[in-house]
Amino acid sequence: MADKPSDLVQSTLDMLILKTLALEPMHGYGIAVRFEQRCKGVFVRSAGSVFVAFQRLQVAGLITS
């Protein structure tokens, strides 16, 4: 369980990014567009938070650029 609400949001964002990339390789903008399509605006994240998530996943060795 997440220690604080922001951990849950980060984990959800990470999972969405990884799930999207599992379908096909794509760039950050493509991932953001896919979020909008799939979530129908329910889970809207700023470009800045998506960029931070990319960095976090890259440092963890889960994605490469």
Side-chain angles (χ1 to χ4, degrees):
M1 184 117 154
D3 293 335
K4 53 189 177 198
S6 62
D7 290 342
L8 181 60
V9 173
Q10 285 181 354
S11 298
T12 302
L13 182 57
D14 292 355
M15 184 266 316
L16 286 171
I17 290 170
L18 293 172
K19 181 74 172 169
T20 300
L21 289 173
L23 299 172
E24 64 180 308
M26 66 177 60
H27 50 77
Y29 179 75
I31 291 171
V33 169
R34 182 68 58 98
F35 285 173
E36 289 296 318
Q37 292 170 342
R38 297 202 42 120
C39 297
K40 296 178 178 61
V42 173
F43 188 77
V44 177
R45 303 303 304 163
S46 70
S49 62
V50 173
F51 178 74
V52 170
F54 289 148
Q55 288 182 319
R56 185 172 51 249
L57 292 170
Q58 194 168 14
V59 167
L62 298 171
I63 62 173
T64 60
S65 59

